Amino acid sequence: MTRYVIVGAGEAGTRAAAALRDAGEGEVLLLSEEPVPPYERPPLSKPDDEHGFRKPVAVDLAGIELRLSTRVVAVDRAEGRLETEAGERIAYDRLLLATGARPRRLAVAGASRALVLRTLADAEAIDARVRAGARATIVGAGLIGLELACTLRRRGLEVAVVELAPRALGRAVPAELAERLVARHERQGVRFLFGTEIAAIEPAGVRLADGNLLAAEIVVAAIGVEPETALAATAGLPCANGILVDSTLRTADPSIWAAGDCAAIDHPRYGRVRFENWRMACDQGAFAGRVMRGEGGTFAALPWFWSDQWDLSLQIVGLCDPARCAVHRSLGADGLVRFELDGTGRLEAAAALGPAALIGREIRLAERLIERAVACPSDLLADPGADLRRLLRG
Amino acid sequence: MPRWIDVCALEEIEPEGTRRFDHEGRTFVIVRGPGEEVFCLDGLCTHEKVHLAGGLVIDGVIECPKHAAQFDCRTGEVLMGPACVDLRTWPARVEGGRVLVEV
Ligand SMILES: Cc1cc2nc3c(=O)[nH]c(=O)nc-3n(C[C@H](O)[C@H](O)[C@H](O)COP(=O)(O)OP(=O)(O)OC[C@H]3O[C@@H](n4cnc5c(N)ncnc54)[C@H](O)[C@@H]3O)c2cc1C
Ligand code: FES
């Protein structure tokens, strides 16, 4: 009987485990260093009405042996064996590394005073300090920073966001959408300091490079993540901003695969690339589960992600590039879609900000238009009255 | 006691289109197939309670506009996350050009 072992029970690890279990052959062992059963990360920064920020993962784990508080510290590839922090040895026939990513730390004095947000424990640590009227400073205007700004502001805190770059959200999100989103935050009373360097995290708050102090009881560093590659690297597997895998998600070792935020994959459309989003992690995990049990195929799924802030949904399919030819479509008072075309008029990516009910559909259609390489006339894309399904029906 | 309720004329819903239908404090989504077939499902996504009437319908599947969960229009079954609870379905039919549901 084949023994499948998965390190990491996040989105990728749990989906892989379910796919392997569904094959009905072999033994599936899922190892997690975290002390709590698998949970969803998106609600950590944007709690929902039903579960708050504690939401169990949407995967049925029946028939899977799950071991919590089990940190794997070494992979002995010659012997096909893992070693845990507690000194236990665990044999595997086929191994999946789904170790995710961890928050990047600030490189300033007092950096350890800043909280981060990746795990349930991190969310609990932030939650424990929340009091109406308290002041929070978030370092980094990326997706997690902005989502947290919204959540803390809603809970009655005074919120400031400090960002070194001149604008929010970096290259992955088109500037015109980022600006609209920031304007929405500002209307809600979130303060932004762009192009602002910080010098230190002090007990009283954030010391800026210009000497000013941003007083805050809560300081959160949200300056991005780094792939968790330590285990793979010490086992001698090639890593470069992620564990390197081929287009079937297999590492240089034929018995070891990697999936999710930790994996730098060879994508038929984008080449070497590493993604950090929910659906990619799920898709890669499920795919890895299937190939590990012997199915063929190349992993070619398109990246798609969402972020929810205030009453706005941000959704992007494909990889945006500010240099590409773009067509805009306005939907209602505050919906905007940016379609990006390649030189032959085919859709490469689409990004949208607005109420989900208006923009979600357009992004779902854009995803299919990209997949099927349909040529899209600009006037149709720009016309809010034109039903893009026409293009799909050909 | 469930009974057949008149929702609208079939032609008010385009092929592969949707319509929100609110009735006695509950909300439903009526989905029309590519032809004259109609389906009636619970109107709110089981993930975060978004109205599915804004969703895209393709090949018998409706996708939530917020996080793209997919449901089978016929059975209400979740085909893809992040939702994990199926939608309830209700009898629906077309009679004399009118859409009728039993909810
Ligand atoms: C606060 C927050 C909000 C987000 N919101 C969104 C969103 O709205 N939309 C979106 O598309 N994406 C969102 N994401 C991103 C998405 O959640 C991630 O891309 C996804 O969780 C990645 O899944 P993964 O399985 O690759 O890694 P992870 O979920 O990070 O899981 C990896 C697991 O492996 C464990 N592990 C690591 N090393 C070891 C070891 N040596 N031994 C044992 N266990 C180990 C880790 O502790 C962790 O539990 C969000 C992320 C965060 C943090
Ligand atoms: S609200 Fe429908 S998928 Fe999240």
Side-chain angles (χ1 to χ4, degrees):
Chain A
M1 193 153 76
T2 315
R3 191 167 157 88
Y4 300 102
V5 179
I6 299 167
V7 183
E11 310 295 356
T14 52
R15 263 69 180 185
L20 287 165
R21 183 261 333 267
D22 292 346
E25 175 271 335
E27 225 182 312
V28 186
L29 181 58
L30 180 57
L31 308 175
S32 172
E33 66 183 347
E34 296 194 55
V36 291
Y39 56 89
E40 296 284 337
R41 285 181 210 280
L44 298 180
S45 51
K46 35 192 173 339
D48 70 34
D49 299 340
E50 201 182 337
H51 302 89
F53 58 80
R54 295 181 182 83
K55 185 164 185 178
V57 77
V59 179
D60 171 15
L61 295 173
I64 293 160
E65 189 186 340
L66 170 66
R67 280 205 230 157
L68 302 176
S69 303
T70 304
R71 180 171 170 75
V72 177
V73 291
V75 182
D76 181 340
R77 298 202 278 128
E79 297 291 326
R81 217 166 47 193
L82 304 177
E83 194 183 323
T84 71
E85 200 169 39
E88 192 191 349
R89 295 205 151 81
I90 297 171
Y92 68 83
D93 294 313
R94 297 185 159 205
L95 176 67
L96 176 67
L97 300 174
T99 48
R102 74 184 120 79
R104 201 171 281 141
R105 294 280 171 176
L106 290 166
V108 297
S112 63
R113 290 197 182 96
L115 301 170
V116 293
L117 181 53
R118 178 76 189 179
T119 64
L120 188 59
D122 294 338
E124 280 166 348
I126 295 174
D127 185 59
R129 300 198 189 187
V130 169
R131 267 175 310 281
R135 291 162 299 183
T137 293
I138 295 165
V139 183
L143 287 169
I144 307 277
L146 292 189
E147 289 175 356
L148 187 62
C150 170
T151 298
L152 294 179
R153 185 77 192 123
R154 276 190 164 138
R155 295 181 67 182
L157 278 75
E158 271 180 48
V159 181
V161 178
V162 185
E163 167 63 55
L164 186 59
R167 71 170 185 94
L169 297 171
R171 276 177 66 92
V173 178
E176 62 273 38
L177 301 185
E179 275 159 26
R180 284 179 170 224
L181 190 54
V182 166
R184 186 81 182 83
H185 277 274
E186 284 175 334
R187 277 212 301 287
Q188 300 290 340
V190 177
R191 214 179 128 204
F192 285 87
L193 290 87
F194 289 112
T196 303
E197 201 177 330
I198 67 165
I201 311 298
E202 298 178 359
V206 176
R207 179 71 61 186
L208 303 179
D210 65 10
N212 284 323
L213 179 77
L214 265 182
E217 289 77 38
I218 302 177
V219 177
V220 183
I223 53 168
V225 294
E226 276 159 11
E228 187 58 75
T229 55
L231 193 57
T234 50
L237 294 170
C239 297
N241 180 32
I243 305 167
L244 298 186
V245 294
D246 64 16
S247 59
T248 70
L249 307 188
R250 198 194 286 250
T251 66
D253 181 323
S255 311
I256 306 180
W257 287 257
D261 283 14
C262 68
I265 72 173
D266 185 5
H267 193 285
R269 184 183 280 267
Y270 306 110
R272 184 64 67 189
V273 61
R274 190 174 67 79
F275 297 104
E276 294 168 359
N277 63 61
W278 186 90
R279 200 179 70 184
M280 253 300 160
C282 295
D283 285 352
Q284 288 184 18
F287 179 92
R290 294 194 300 270
V291 289
M292 286 170 76
R293 69 188 199 213
E295 272 181 39
T298 295
F299 184 82
L302 282 177
W304 167 78
F305 76 83
W306 79 84
S307 173
D308 299 316
Q309 297 168 37
W310 304 109
D311 51 352
L312 298 177
S313 165
L314 171 71
Q315 299 191 28
I316 298 187
V317 58
L319 293 181
C320 287
D321 177 348
R324 240 185 242 128
C325 162
V327 179
H328 291 90
R329 168 184 278 233
S330 295
L331 298 165
D334 49 8
L336 182 68
V337 191
R338 172 187 162 104
F339 295 104
E340 293 188 0
L341 302 166
D342 69 8
T344 67
R346 285 177 173 76
L347 209 55
E348 266 292 326
L353 180 72
L358 291 182
I359 61 117
R361 219 182 118 84
E362 309 289 308
I363 293 293
R364 321 291 337 122
L365 277 167
E367 178 172 10
R368 288 179 172 77
L369 292 168
I370 298 170
E371 272 166 4
R372 298 184 200 173
V374 177
C376 300
S378 311
D379 52 338
L380 268 187
L381 294 178
D383 175 6
D387 187 345
L388 297 181
R389 280 184 301 181
R390 264 166 56 197
L391 293 169
L392 274 181
R393 297 192 183 115
Chain B
M1 188 33 204
R3 64 212 139 83
W4 289 96
I5 303 158
D6 186 297
V7 176
C8 62
L10 179 65
E11 63 195 27
E12 287 175 59
I13 312 177
E14 59 179 288
E16 298 204 302
T18 60
R19 185 186 176 102
R20 174 172 162 182
F21 176 55
D22 293 335
H23 183 70
E24 291 178 353
R26 291 177 299 164
T27 183
F28 305 91
V29 60
I30 315 291
V31 177
R32 177 173 174 183
E36 305 225 320
E37 240 180 332
V38 289
F39 309 98
C40 177
L41 303 100
D42 275 347
L44 298 180
C45 181
T46 56
H47 183 230
E48 287 181 12
K49 313 261 174 288
V50 166
H51 284 288
L52 287 168
L56 178 69
V57 178
I58 286 187
D59 300 335
V61 173
I62 183 164
E63 287 192 351
C64 173
K66 199 161 182 192
H67 310 126
Q70 298 184 345
F71 301 92
D72 185 316
C73 294
R74 198 173 294 273
T75 62
E77 191 194 339
V78 179
L79 303 175
M80 200 164 91
C84 55
V85 176
D86 295 345
L87 287 172
R88 205 165 152 194
T89 59
W90 308 83
R93 65 191 162 97
V94 178
E95 200 179 280
R98 304 292 301 175
V99 175
L100 305 177
V101 296
E102 193 181 17
V103 294

